[in-house]
Amino acid sequence: MADEEQCAPGVCESSDLILSFVNTRPLTDKHPDLLGDQAGLTEWLTTARLADPAVVATNADAVAARELRDAFVTMLRSHVGCEDGPAAEAEAYLWRTAERYPLTPRIDADGCTLVPSQSGVPGAFGSLFAAVADIAARGAWSRLKTCKNPTCYSGFFDKTRNSSGLYCGSVCGSRMSMRAYRSRLKES
């Protein structure tokens, strides 16, 4: 679209990782929680290339992953103005949790990137925090959002020029416009 811009290459990779993680949650009864157990988490970590296929996550890791995902979802929902989630609690949780997954600066001729200091599942979780730090450093953190359509809530990268996107796509935007129109008709 003419009114949309593309994300910068580094931002795209980092945001794709975070959105992939956020979108593992069950949005409907037809879509299971992809982090529902240790097998699901192990598969997602392998697919996302965050862990070696030999790494096996535990059920405790799966619980930690769901808690981390829920905190990220709360942050992304706050980016579209949803106040139904306790954003301050999610921020505090993320601050405490980030201490468990330290990052190390990797400096080379191209610049500096943050990488996890650990391997395995803790390193994978650290990679998520490194991706958020990368997105924030590039000024794009507020562009990661969840769809405001209550039947969707999918994570998306807002590519509008003024960062005003509320929906993951035109289908959800049209549905919400139609709901608002019908609501106005009922009130008249």
Side-chain angles (χ1 to χ4, degrees), residues 10-159:
V11 172
C12 286
E13 290 91 16
S14 295
S15 64
D16 287 349
L17 176 60
I18 297 302
L19 293 174
S20 170
F21 183 63
V22 164
N23 288 332
T24 59
R25 58 202 169 102
L27 299 176
T28 65
D29 293 337
K30 296 177 185 178
H31 297 92
D33 189 340
L34 299 180
L35 305 178
D37 59 14
Q38 66 188 42
L41 176 59
T42 300
E43 182 179 338
W44 185 81
L45 292 174
T46 303
T47 302
R49 297 186 184 139
L50 293 180
D52 184 271
V55 170
V56 178
T58 65
N59 280 325
D61 293 331
V63 170
R66 290 190 302 270
E67 289 175 352
L68 182 58
R69 177 188 63 197
D70 291 346
F72 283 142
V73 167
T74 301
M75 292 290 94
L76 301 189
R77 287 188 51 70
S78 73
H79 293 166
V80 293
C82 292
E83 300 296 331
D84 62 299
E89 288 177 26
E91 286 175 352
Y93 173 82
L94 290 170
W95 294 340
R96 287 190 315 271
T97 304
E99 292 175 358
R100 291 184 216 148
Y101 310 111
L103 302 173
T104 302
R106 180 173 287 161
I107 302 167
D108 59 23
D110 295 327
C112 179
T113 56
L114 294 173
V115 296
S117 299
Q118 304 171 68
S119 60
V121 175
F125 291 164
S127 293
L128 295 169
F129 282 100
V132 170
D134 180 50
I135 295 165
R138 295 169 188 261
W141 175 238
S142 64
R143 288 186 173 274
L144 264 65
K145 302 177 177 185
T146 56
C147 185
K148 205 165 179 178
N149 179 352
T151 61
C152 181
Y153 291 143
S154 292
F156 70 99
F157 186 89
D158 181 0
K159 296 179 182 176

